[in-house]
């Protein structure tokens, strides 16, 4: 059995995961699932990148030791995986002992082969990207990649002889034109390589949060040397255990490192250079996708202009969210995430095209064929309309496989929707509801329902990697076995006549959401954006709670927050405040802008209570607020704190009050 090893980047844990991270993991997931369906032995890896200056600083800011901070935030990346239905086989954290062993083994190999020497690094460093930036590449004194501030560093450092590997790398690129894809990225890398390479600083001495350099623990390794090696660690590299060694033999080199376009250089130059220096095989392909943009800028943790996957999954359902991101981003290009687009695709592509097709066919089969797959007539199946649908379904299998092979998920889905459209048109032309009224046309009726049912089966089998739950439900409705059919034998015409069908259930229920409601949601703080970055916590502040979920939302139990210590609780500075002014935020149904007297200052707080209170009813009210919450922008207004309110599940918020009027500034405990 051939094997397939695919990885995502390991994500920095300096903030909560957002759509960008979820996207890469979902694409890798869809590709991994497709390869399993093609009969391959798949290993799909994702994880977290936990060392380095950026994380050390984020931990300091959170008042935690780096390891404790890493343990907390890594959990939110791990928790995202079931939420997006990722079928990863392993989750690696760079703080695990297996990884220390592996990175140190790679370092020793590279060093013993003569590629590491000691020197002094003087120059610029961008902590956001964790990269050294040559002075000539600064743009207005800032990082050319993220535009962030760079710092001057001057310290003893080990260097990696990258310059010595320029020719071997160029040769590899020339003999493996598919090594980096898409071609635009490959061309950039080639141009960079041809321009010559400087040796790379691969250790730091000015901080300690990293993997110690073997035999010189005053140095910690450069975080990219550490991070890139994760791909080998998880396959078993550096382990003494014979089982791990056998796994490494089997799965290394990786088939695909799937990444965003901003980290191509590290993957396409540094990583193969380290491996060449150690005498290890290179990965087969570096595949990079474009960026999700918000209002024209890259969505990023550092900028905070992010889409929180959970917000959309809760409203549209996971598979609709997966469909949208796969369909919307053309491979290799950037894409804008807009509420209009996700709503539009939900209604048109999912509810209308696919959802209606499935429920129409299965309902008609229940009504007219006793809830069983009918027996088609061979003569009628030979007609050109029937052949057109069934031939298109058979051809689609190859098309989808080819599109997945080149990571064109949007093309695969577009092709599947061509068949959805063709099948819908077939039904409209055959009008089985009319045939059902005429007993003499029974054979025509049965054939005209067999054809779309069979096409739907192929569609569902092909949708498995993209929308696993929906595909399963479609197949259940069609009475097909729950275990996936192998794509190697998948073809049209094999639905078994006589099979009992399952119940019809709407795949994509009607939702009443509007673009305005989605926009409000995006601006509302959640506990995870305002409290600790530990995990997707329950709504801490009902005053800013999101809209009650629509009917499409799967019922979910309200999560309970983990226990905290007295000291942790006391970090929250709760105080009495008096509302001085209140006005609705224009274009928002939920948000109210409040001017409050906190006893220590007067400040603006934006609260999600506009549906529950009139502005005039709020003036002069005494409320409880979180005084020391970091400022956040809501609909362009800076909010400094949070007003406390309680609400029953999905109900209106009621402000927290006091039995007597306490003076503003009084502590609440
Ligand atoms: O770079 N659009 O981690 P990171 C699409 N730890 N994808 C995006 C995105 C966006 N706006 N933002 C992030 C690191 N991503 C290193 C990687 S690998 C050995 C070390 C996705 O947390 C995309 O896959 O900054 C991108 O490459 C990755 O998240 C960067 O995650």
């Amino acid at each position: 059995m051939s094997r397939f090893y695919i990885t995502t980047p390991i994500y920095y844990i300096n903030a909560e995961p957002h759509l960008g991270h979820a996207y890469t993991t979902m694409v890798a997931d869809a590709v991994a699932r497709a390869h399993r369906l093609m009969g391959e032995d798949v290993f799909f890896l994702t994880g977290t990148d936990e060392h380095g200056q950026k994380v050390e600083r984020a931990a300091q800011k959170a008042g935690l030791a780096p390891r404790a901070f890493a343990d907390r935030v890594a959990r939110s990346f791990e928790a995202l995986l079931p939420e997006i239905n990722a079928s990863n086989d392993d989750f690696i954290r760079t703080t695990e002992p297996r990884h220390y062993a592996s990175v140190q083994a790679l370092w020793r190999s590279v060093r013993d082969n003569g590629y590491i020497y000691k020197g002094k690094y003087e120059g610029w460093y961008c902590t956001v990207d964790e990269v050294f930036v040559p002075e000539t590449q600064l743009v207005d004194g800032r990082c050319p990649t993220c535009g962030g501030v760079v710092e001057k560093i001057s310290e003893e450092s080990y260097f990696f002889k990258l310059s010595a590997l320029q020719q071997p790398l160029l040769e590899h690129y020339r003999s493996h034109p598919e090594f980096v894809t898409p071609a635009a990225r490959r061309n950039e890398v080639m141009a960079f390589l041809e321009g010559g390479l400087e040796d790379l600083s691969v250790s730091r001495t000015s901080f300690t949060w990293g993997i110690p350099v073997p035999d010189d623990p005053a140095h910690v390794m450069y975080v990219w040397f550490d991070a890139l090696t994760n791909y080998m660690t998880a396959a078993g590299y550096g382990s003494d255990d014979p089982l791990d060694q056998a796994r490494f033999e089997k799965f290394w080199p990786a088939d695909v490192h799937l990444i965003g376009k901003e980290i191509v250089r590290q993957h396409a130059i540094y990583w193969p250079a380290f491996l060449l220096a150690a005498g290890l095989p290179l990965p087969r392909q570096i595949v990079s996708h474009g960026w999700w943009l918000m209002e024209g800028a890259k969505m990023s943790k550092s900028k905070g202009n992010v889409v929180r996957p959970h917000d959309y999954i809760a409203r549209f359902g996971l598979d609709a969210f997966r469909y949208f991101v796969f369909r919307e981003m053309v491979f290799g290009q950037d894409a804008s995430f807009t509420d209009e687009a996700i709503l539009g695709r939900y209604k048109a592509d999912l509810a209308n095209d696919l959802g209606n097709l499935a429920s129409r066919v299965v309902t008609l089969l229940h009504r007219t064929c006793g809830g069983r797959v009918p027996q088609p007539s061979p003569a009628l199946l030979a007609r050109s309309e029937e052949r057109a649908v069934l031939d298109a379904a058979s051809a689609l299998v190859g098309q989808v496989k080819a599109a997945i092979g080149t990571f064109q998920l949007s093309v695969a889905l577009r092709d599947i929707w061509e068949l959805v459209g063709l099948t819908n048109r077939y039904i409209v032309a055959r009008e089985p509801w009319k045939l059902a009224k005429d007993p003499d046309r029974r054979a025509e009726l049965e054939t005209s329902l067999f054809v779309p049912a069979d096409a739907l089966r192929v569609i569902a089998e092909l949708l498995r990697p993209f929308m696993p739950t929906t595909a399963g439900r479609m197949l259940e409705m069609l009475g097909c076995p729950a275990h996936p059919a192998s794509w190697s034998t998948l073809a049209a015409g094999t639905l078994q006549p006589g099979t009992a069908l399952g119940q019809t259930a709407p795949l994509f229920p009607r939702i009443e959401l509007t673009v305005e409601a989605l926009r409000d949601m995006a601006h509302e703080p959640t506990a995870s954006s305002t409290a600790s970055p530990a995990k997707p916590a329950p709504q801490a502040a009902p005053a800013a709670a999101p809209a009650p979920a629509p009917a499409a939302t799967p019922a979910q139990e309200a999560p309970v927050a983990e226990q905290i210590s007295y000291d942790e609780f006391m970090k929250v500075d709760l105080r009495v405040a008096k509302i001085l002014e209140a006005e609705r935020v224009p274009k928002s149904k939920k948000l109210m802008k409040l001017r409050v007297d906190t006893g220590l200052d007067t400040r603006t707080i934006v609260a999600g209570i506009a549906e529950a209170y009139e502005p005039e009813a709020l003036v002069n009210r005494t409320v409880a607020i979180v005084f020391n919450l970091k400022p956040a922008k809501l609909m362009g207004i800076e909010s400094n704190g949070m007003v406390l309110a309680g609400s029953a599940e999905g109900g209106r918020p009621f402000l927290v009050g006091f039995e007597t009027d306490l003076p503003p500034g009084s502590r609440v405990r």
Side-chain angles (χ1 to χ4, degrees), residues 265-286:
R265 188 172 301 176
Q266 290 86 339
H267 282 80
I269 295 179
Y270 299 170
W271 182 225
F274 299 153
L275 292 170
L276 283 172
L280 287 160
L282 308 193
R284 303 219 163 90
Q285 205 172 28
I286 316 289

PDB file of all heavy atoms in Angstrom, residues 265-286:
ATOM      1  N   ARG A 265      10.017  30.764   2.210  1.00  0.00           N
ATOM      2  CA  ARG A 265      11.483  30.780   2.223  1.00  0.00           C
ATOM      3  C   ARG A 265      12.042  29.797   3.266  1.00  0.00           C
ATOM      4  O   ARG A 265      12.982  29.055   2.987  1.00  0.00           O
ATOM      5  CB  ARG A 265      11.988  32.200   2.513  1.00  0.00           C
ATOM      6  CG  ARG A 265      13.474  32.308   2.356  1.00  0.00           C
ATOM      7  CD  ARG A 265      13.946  33.737   2.456  1.00  0.00           C
ATOM      8  NE  ARG A 265      13.323  34.586   1.438  1.00  0.00           N
ATOM      9  CZ  ARG A 265      13.515  35.903   1.364  1.00  0.00           C
ATOM     10  NH1 ARG A 265      14.275  36.511   2.248  1.00  0.00           N
ATOM     11  NH2 ARG A 265      12.927  36.617   0.425  1.00  0.00           N
ATOM     12  N   GLN A 266      11.447  29.788   4.435  1.00  0.00           N
ATOM     13  CA  GLN A 266      11.950  28.889   5.483  1.00  0.00           C
ATOM     14  C   GLN A 266      11.794  27.422   5.053  1.00  0.00           C
ATOM     15  O   GLN A 266      12.649  26.593   5.335  1.00  0.00           O
ATOM     16  CB  GLN A 266      11.175  29.102   6.803  1.00  0.00           C
ATOM     17  CG  GLN A 266      11.460  30.419   7.504  1.00  0.00           C
ATOM     18  CD  GLN A 266      10.579  31.558   6.997  1.00  0.00           C
ATOM     19  OE1 GLN A 266      10.036  31.499   5.896  1.00  0.00           O
ATOM     20  NE2 GLN A 266      10.459  32.620   7.780  1.00  0.00           N
ATOM     21  N   HIS A 267      10.675  27.139   4.370  1.00  0.00           N
ATOM     22  CA  HIS A 267      10.427  25.746   3.984  1.00  0.00           C
ATOM     23  C   HIS A 267      11.160  25.350   2.704  1.00  0.00           C
ATOM     24  O   HIS A 267      11.497  24.182   2.521  1.00  0.00           O
ATOM     25  CB  HIS A 267       8.919  25.515   3.784  1.00  0.00           C
ATOM     26  CG  HIS A 267       8.186  25.373   5.081  1.00  0.00           C
ATOM     27  ND1 HIS A 267       7.826  26.451   5.841  1.00  0.00           N
ATOM     28  CD2 HIS A 267       7.788  24.267   5.773  1.00  0.00           C
ATOM     29  CE1 HIS A 267       7.205  26.021   6.935  1.00  0.00           C
ATOM     30  NE2 HIS A 267       7.170  24.709   6.920  1.00  0.00           N
ATOM     31  N   ALA A 268      11.342  26.309   1.829  1.00  0.00           N
ATOM     32  CA  ALA A 268      11.875  25.966   0.506  1.00  0.00           C
ATOM     33  C   ALA A 268      13.388  26.155   0.437  1.00  0.00           C
ATOM     34  O   ALA A 268      14.026  25.671  -0.497  1.00  0.00           O
ATOM     35  CB  ALA A 268      11.194  26.814  -0.559  1.00  0.00           C
ATOM     36  N   ILE A 269      13.965  26.865   1.403  1.00  0.00           N
ATOM     37  CA  ILE A 269      15.419  27.056   1.380  1.00  0.00           C
ATOM     38  C   ILE A 269      16.056  26.516   2.665  1.00  0.00           C
ATOM     39  O   ILE A 269      16.889  25.614   2.619  1.00  0.00           O
ATOM     40  CB  ILE A 269      15.766  28.543   1.162  1.00  0.00           C
ATOM     41  CG1 ILE A 269      15.283  28.960  -0.235  1.00  0.00           C
ATOM     42  CG2 ILE A 269      17.282  28.767   1.296  1.00  0.00           C
ATOM     43  CD1 ILE A 269      15.529  30.383  -0.610  1.00  0.00           C
ATOM     44  N   TYR A 270      15.637  27.054   3.814  1.00  0.00           N
ATOM     45  CA  TYR A 270      16.302  26.622   5.055  1.00  0.00           C
ATOM     46  C   TYR A 270      16.127  25.119   5.277  1.00  0.00           C
ATOM     47  O   TYR A 270      17.069  24.408   5.580  1.00  0.00           O
ATOM     48  CB  TYR A 270      15.737  27.354   6.286  1.00  0.00           C
ATOM     49  CG  TYR A 270      15.895  28.848   6.289  1.00  0.00           C
ATOM     50  CD1 TYR A 270      15.239  29.631   7.240  1.00  0.00           C
ATOM     51  CD2 TYR A 270      16.704  29.503   5.361  1.00  0.00           C
ATOM     52  CE1 TYR A 270      15.371  31.006   7.272  1.00  0.00           C
ATOM     53  CE2 TYR A 270      16.831  30.888   5.375  1.00  0.00           C
ATOM     54  CZ  TYR A 270      16.149  31.632   6.329  1.00  0.00           C
ATOM     55  OH  TYR A 270      16.272  32.989   6.349  1.00  0.00           O
ATOM     56  N   TRP A 271      14.870  24.673   5.182  1.00  0.00           N
ATOM     57  CA  TRP A 271      14.584  23.280   5.539  1.00  0.00           C
ATOM     58  C   TRP A 271      15.333  22.296   4.635  1.00  0.00           C
ATOM     59  O   TRP A 271      16.062  21.436   5.130  1.00  0.00           O
ATOM     60  CB  TRP A 271      13.072  23.055   5.546  1.00  0.00           C
ATOM     61  CG  TRP A 271      12.578  21.693   5.939  1.00  0.00           C
ATOM     62  CD1 TRP A 271      11.611  20.982   5.308  1.00  0.00           C
ATOM     63  CD2 TRP A 271      12.984  20.895   7.054  1.00  0.00           C
ATOM     64  NE1 TRP A 271      11.387  19.799   5.961  1.00  0.00           N
ATOM     65  CE2 TRP A 271      12.226  19.711   7.042  1.00  0.00           C
ATOM     66  CE3 TRP A 271      13.934  21.053   8.068  1.00  0.00           C
ATOM     67  CZ2 TRP A 271      12.371  18.693   7.977  1.00  0.00           C
ATOM     68  CZ3 TRP A 271      14.082  20.036   9.007  1.00  0.00           C
ATOM     69  CH2 TRP A 271      13.309  18.877   8.963  1.00  0.00           C
ATOM     70  N   PRO A 272      15.234  22.436   3.300  1.00  0.00           N
ATOM     71  CA  PRO A 272      16.019  21.489   2.492  1.00  0.00           C
ATOM     72  C   PRO A 272      17.523  21.646   2.728  1.00  0.00           C
ATOM     73  O   PRO A 272      18.259  20.656   2.656  1.00  0.00           O
ATOM     74  CB  PRO A 272      15.638  21.831   1.046  1.00  0.00           C
ATOM     75  CG  PRO A 272      14.894  23.110   1.091  1.00  0.00           C
ATOM     76  CD  PRO A 272      14.347  23.268   2.473  1.00  0.00           C
ATOM     77  N   ALA A 273      17.969  22.864   3.059  1.00  0.00           N
ATOM     78  CA  ALA A 273      19.406  23.043   3.303  1.00  0.00           C
ATOM     79  C   ALA A 273      19.829  22.282   4.563  1.00  0.00           C
ATOM     80  O   ALA A 273      20.855  21.595   4.563  1.00  0.00           O
ATOM     81  CB  ALA A 273      19.726  24.531   3.446  1.00  0.00           C
ATOM     82  N   PHE A 274      19.045  22.369   5.631  1.00  0.00           N
ATOM     83  CA  PHE A 274      19.384  21.619   6.852  1.00  0.00           C
ATOM     84  C   PHE A 274      19.440  20.119   6.540  1.00  0.00           C
ATOM     85  O   PHE A 274      20.321  19.402   7.008  1.00  0.00           O
ATOM     86  CB  PHE A 274      18.342  21.841   7.964  1.00  0.00           C
ATOM     87  CG  PHE A 274      18.184  23.269   8.446  1.00  0.00           C
ATOM     88  CD1 PHE A 274      16.970  23.714   8.989  1.00  0.00           C
ATOM     89  CD2 PHE A 274      19.240  24.173   8.384  1.00  0.00           C
ATOM     90  CE1 PHE A 274      16.811  25.017   9.444  1.00  0.00           C
ATOM     91  CE2 PHE A 274      19.090  25.483   8.842  1.00  0.00           C
ATOM     92  CZ  PHE A 274      17.871  25.908   9.366  1.00  0.00           C
ATOM     93  N   LEU A 275      18.465  19.665   5.754  1.00  0.00           N
ATOM     94  CA  LEU A 275      18.395  18.232   5.468  1.00  0.00           C
ATOM     95  C   LEU A 275      19.565  17.787   4.585  1.00  0.00           C
ATOM     96  O   LEU A 275      20.169  16.732   4.816  1.00  0.00           O
ATOM     97  CB  LEU A 275      17.057  17.896   4.792  1.00  0.00           C
ATOM     98  CG  LEU A 275      15.836  18.068   5.697  1.00  0.00           C
ATOM     99  CD1 LEU A 275      14.541  17.957   4.892  1.00  0.00           C
ATOM    100  CD2 LEU A 275      15.838  17.028   6.815  1.00  0.00           C
ATOM    101  N   LEU A 276      19.903  18.626   3.595  1.00  0.00           N
ATOM    102  CA  LEU A 276      21.047  18.286   2.742  1.00  0.00           C
ATOM    103  C   LEU A 276      22.307  18.205   3.597  1.00  0.00           C
ATOM    104  O   LEU A 276      23.130  17.294   3.443  1.00  0.00           O
ATOM    105  CB  LEU A 276      21.243  19.356   1.656  1.00  0.00           C
ATOM    106  CG  LEU A 276      20.278  19.330   0.463  1.00  0.00           C
ATOM    107  CD1 LEU A 276      20.474  20.559  -0.419  1.00  0.00           C
ATOM    108  CD2 LEU A 276      20.464  18.050  -0.363  1.00  0.00           C
ATOM    109  N   ALA A 277      22.438  19.165   4.535  1.00  0.00           N
ATOM    110  CA  ALA A 277      23.632  19.190   5.385  1.00  0.00           C
ATOM    111  C   ALA A 277      23.709  17.942   6.260  1.00  0.00           C
ATOM    112  O   ALA A 277      24.794  17.470   6.586  1.00  0.00           O
ATOM    113  CB  ALA A 277      23.625  20.447   6.252  1.00  0.00           C
ATOM    114  N   ALA A 278      22.555  17.413   6.635  1.00  0.00           N
ATOM    115  CA  ALA A 278      22.532  16.217   7.488  1.00  0.00           C
ATOM    116  C   ALA A 278      22.535  14.939   6.659  1.00  0.00           C
ATOM    117  O   ALA A 278      22.562  13.841   7.214  1.00  0.00           O
ATOM    118  CB  ALA A 278      21.298  16.252   8.381  1.00  0.00           C
ATOM    119  N   GLY A 279      22.466  15.070   5.344  1.00  0.00           N
ATOM    120  CA  GLY A 279      22.445  13.882   4.471  1.00  0.00           C
ATOM    121  C   GLY A 279      21.119  13.147   4.506  1.00  0.00           C
ATOM    122  O   GLY A 279      21.068  11.934   4.338  1.00  0.00           O
ATOM    123  N   LEU A 280      20.038  13.890   4.735  1.00  0.00           N
ATOM    124  CA  LEU A 280      18.713  13.254   4.824  1.00  0.00           C
ATOM    125  C   LEU A 280      17.879  13.585   3.581  1.00  0.00           C
ATOM    126  O   LEU A 280      18.080  14.638   2.962  1.00  0.00           O
ATOM    127  CB  LEU A 280      17.979  13.762   6.068  1.00  0.00           C
ATOM    128  CG  LEU A 280      18.514  13.204   7.390  1.00  0.00           C
ATOM    129  CD1 LEU A 280      18.099  14.085   8.554  1.00  0.00           C
ATOM    130  CD2 LEU A 280      18.007  11.775   7.590  1.00  0.00           C
ATOM    131  N   PRO A 281      16.933  12.710   3.232  1.00  0.00           N
ATOM    132  CA  PRO A 281      16.107  12.977   2.036  1.00  0.00           C
ATOM    133  C   PRO A 281      15.212  14.207   2.219  1.00  0.00           C
ATOM    134  O   PRO A 281      14.741  14.481   3.327  1.00  0.00           O
ATOM    135  CB  PRO A 281      15.234  11.726   1.905  1.00  0.00           C
ATOM    136  CG  PRO A 281      15.751  10.731   2.868  1.00  0.00           C
ATOM    137  CD  PRO A 281      16.597  11.432   3.886  1.00  0.00           C
ATOM    138  N   LEU A 282      14.973  14.910   1.136  1.00  0.00           N
ATOM    139  CA  LEU A 282      14.160  16.134   1.172  1.00  0.00           C
ATOM    140  C   LEU A 282      12.679  15.795   0.987  1.00  0.00           C
ATOM    141  O   LEU A 282      12.343  14.832   0.297  1.00  0.00           O
ATOM    142  CB  LEU A 282      14.571  17.088   0.048  1.00  0.00           C
ATOM    143  CG  LEU A 282      16.048  17.427  -0.062  1.00  0.00           C
ATOM    144  CD1 LEU A 282      16.234  18.617  -1.016  1.00  0.00           C
ATOM    145  CD2 LEU A 282      16.658  17.749   1.284  1.00  0.00           C
ATOM    146  N   PRO A 283      11.803  16.627   1.559  1.00  0.00           N
ATOM    147  CA  PRO A 283      10.365  16.410   1.317  1.00  0.00           C
ATOM    148  C   PRO A 283      10.073  16.492  -0.177  1.00  0.00           C
ATOM    149  O   PRO A 283      10.830  17.104  -0.930  1.00  0.00           O
ATOM    150  CB  PRO A 283       9.699  17.568   2.065  1.00  0.00           C
ATOM    151  CG  PRO A 283      10.776  18.583   2.266  1.00  0.00           C
ATOM    152  CD  PRO A 283      12.064  17.827   2.344  1.00  0.00           C
ATOM    153  N   ARG A 284       8.966  15.865  -0.579  1.00  0.00           N
ATOM    154  CA  ARG A 284       8.695  15.824  -2.028  1.00  0.00           C
ATOM    155  C   ARG A 284       8.159  17.144  -2.545  1.00  0.00           C
ATOM    156  O   ARG A 284       8.455  17.557  -3.651  1.00  0.00           O
ATOM    157  CB  ARG A 284       7.688  14.722  -2.336  1.00  0.00           C
ATOM    158  CG  ARG A 284       8.157  13.369  -1.867  1.00  0.00           C
ATOM    159  CD  ARG A 284       7.830  12.243  -2.833  1.00  0.00           C
ATOM    160  NE  ARG A 284       8.651  11.092  -2.508  1.00  0.00           N
ATOM    161  CZ  ARG A 284       8.286  10.134  -1.653  1.00  0.00           C
ATOM    162  NH1 ARG A 284       7.113  10.178  -1.065  1.00  0.00           N
ATOM    163  NH2 ARG A 284       9.096   9.130  -1.392  1.00  0.00           N
ATOM    164  N   GLN A 285       7.321  17.820  -1.723  1.00  0.00           N
ATOM    165  CA  GLN A 285       6.680  19.024  -2.259  1.00  0.00           C
ATOM    166  C   GLN A 285       6.337  20.017  -1.149  1.00  0.00           C
ATOM    167  O   GLN A 285       5.851  19.625  -0.083  1.00  0.00           O
ATOM    168  CB  GLN A 285       5.390  18.622  -2.974  1.00  0.00           C
ATOM    169  CG  GLN A 285       4.984  19.621  -4.018  1.00  0.00           C
ATOM    170  CD  GLN A 285       3.826  19.128  -4.867  1.00  0.00           C
ATOM    171  OE1 GLN A 285       2.996  18.337  -4.421  1.00  0.00           O
ATOM    172  NE2 GLN A 285       3.756  19.618  -6.083  1.00  0.00           N
ATOM    173  N   ILE A 286       6.588  21.290  -1.453  1.00  0.00           N
ATOM    174  CA  ILE A 286       6.163  22.375  -0.568  1.00  0.00           C
ATOM    175  C   ILE A 286       5.008  23.065  -1.291  1.00  0.00           C
ATOM    176  O   ILE A 286       5.195  23.621  -2.378  1.00  0.00           O
ATOM    177  CB  ILE A 286       7.283  23.432  -0.368  1.00  0.00           C
ATOM    178  CG1 ILE A 286       8.654  22.797  -0.120  1.00  0.00           C
ATOM    179  CG2 ILE A 286       6.896  24.455   0.685  1.00  0.00           C
ATOM    180  CD1 ILE A 286       8.822  22.130   1.198  1.00  0.00           C
TER     181      ILE A 286
END
